[in-house]
Amino acid sequence: MEKNSETIPDIIVKRLPVYFKHLKKLKKSTKEYISSYELAELTGFSSSLIRKDLSYFGNFGRKSYGYDIYCLFQELNIIMGFNYTKKLIIVGAGHLGQALIYNKGYQERGYELKAVFDKNPKLIGLYINEFEILNIEQMLKFVKKEEIDIAALTVPQGAAQKITNLLIEAGIKGIWDFTEVPLKVPEDVLLEEQHINEGLCKLSCKINQNIEE
Amino acid sequence: MEKNSETIPDIIVKRLPVYFKHLKKLKKSTKEYISSYELAELTGFSSSLIRKDLSYFGNFGRKSYGYDIYCLFQELNIIMGFNYTKKLIIVGAGHLGQALIYNKGYQERGYELKAVFDKNPKLIGLYINEFEILNIEQMLKFVKKEEIDIAALTVPQGAAQKITNLLIEAGIKGIWDFTEVPLKVPEDVLLEEQHINEGLCKLSCKINQNIEE
DNA sequence: TAGATTGTTAATCGATTAACAATC
DNA sequence: TAGATTGTTAATCGATTAACAATC
């Protein structure tokens, strides 16, 4: 799985969900076109940067009108691959894992939740929002057979690297990592760290500065 | 609450939790010192960048030895304000909100969970992990009286801005935002967007590129 | 037509890296 | 002492912004 020669720069990828979020909201209004200046207002990015970002993917704008909201939204969906089905599993059915079962964001992004795994005998067999919690022993086989793309990792810290190795062995393409552990993965496996407590770190850091001043 | 003239650049703040994560792990080993070269190996940042980041806060290193792991960890705690108590509430006791009640990351970062609020009469009065879910009508008064610093926002999309306005009115210092809504907050209120589905966006985007190639 | 706004180039700004003197 | 590694400066790299011709 070599990297595409035309890989979208990370710095742009980072901003795509922001455009997506705002266009999704705008799509509900009666507004048809939006200018880079208005988008700048909403996103906090400069209009220049927005035009540059979008022009990376093609000429979506219409001079003197701006960008067609509906079309741009569709384009973003294609760019981010939301029109493509990606198979997801959740590994670890603790409190966070269970909350992820109820997450409503999968469908519009092309994700299909396929299974939930845990090691705890008290959880195995339970149904949460119509998903049966499966024994983690079945995971490797399942991922291989069903060609799962992404695993949400919500296991305890001690198990994180071991389970990760298993997922890699099974041929997982990406890990959506909620553990706090510095995981090691080979280059061809995508690792998206969703360490929620980092948000608390940043907030604490900034509050602290305000106090000191 | 004016910005400090010596505000830590965001680009450094972003990397502090990464150093924290690795030092926390290293602290458990018998290793006493770590060089910027070894830290580079672990974090993926260049050794040069690490030395520059750390030197921003002082001279923590010891020439020809590296950085004392324990001391550096302590320094990071002070820099990020973890030695300071910050009062937290959770607003919205749905699946995600409840999962956040069980989050183990508060204490070591100096956070104290003070209360959980919801609007749903079926949830109000329930105890989750020894926290009673309180009526959201009491929130404004509570935040004012208890001088709450941070609110974790896990309410439905439709309620997000309204509740945010209420929190601002009550004098909240920062919002840890789990909604998917583009929230508007005044400049002096910190907004940390913890939109977990953004992780799914990035993963989808990158997987899509690998496929196309 | 006049005004608005894109797409793109060149200029600027800021972040990262390379290099090395200082020194333990 | 010789080797290791910091802290810092200068050089480089890359990202953002300003500006503007093109054009709807």
Side-chain angles (χ1 to χ4, degrees), chain B residues 42-59:
Chain B
L42 292 171
T43 59
F45 310 147
S46 80
S47 63
S48 225
L49 184 59
I50 291 168
R51 291 198 299 280
K52 199 141 207 259
D53 277 356
L54 298 180
S55 74
Y56 182 87
F57 303 103
N59 296 3

Side-chain angles (χ1 to χ4, degrees), chain B residues 97-160:
Chain B
Q98 291 192 21
L100 288 180
I101 299 178
Y102 290 98
N103 179 25
K104 293 192 187 72
Y106 301 133
Q107 206 197 345
E108 67 178 348
R109 291 174 182 80
Y111 283 89
E112 256 179 30
L113 180 56
K114 288 296 189 180
V116 183
F117 295 93
D118 204 288
K119 186 188 163 189
N120 187 344
K122 285 180 186 158
L123 292 174
I124 294 167
L126 276 186
Y127 279 82
I128 311 274
N129 197 26
E130 296 176 17
F131 281 91
E132 185 188 0
I133 300 178
L134 302 175
N135 191 329
I136 200 155
E137 310 253 313
Q138 299 166 36
M139 187 182 75
L140 188 128
K141 218 170 170 180
F142 187 94
V143 170
K144 274 188 182 166
K145 195 180 157 212
E146 300 287 326
E147 295 184 305
I148 300 300
D149 298 288
I150 303 284
L153 192 68
T154 58
V155 299
Q157 304 207 1

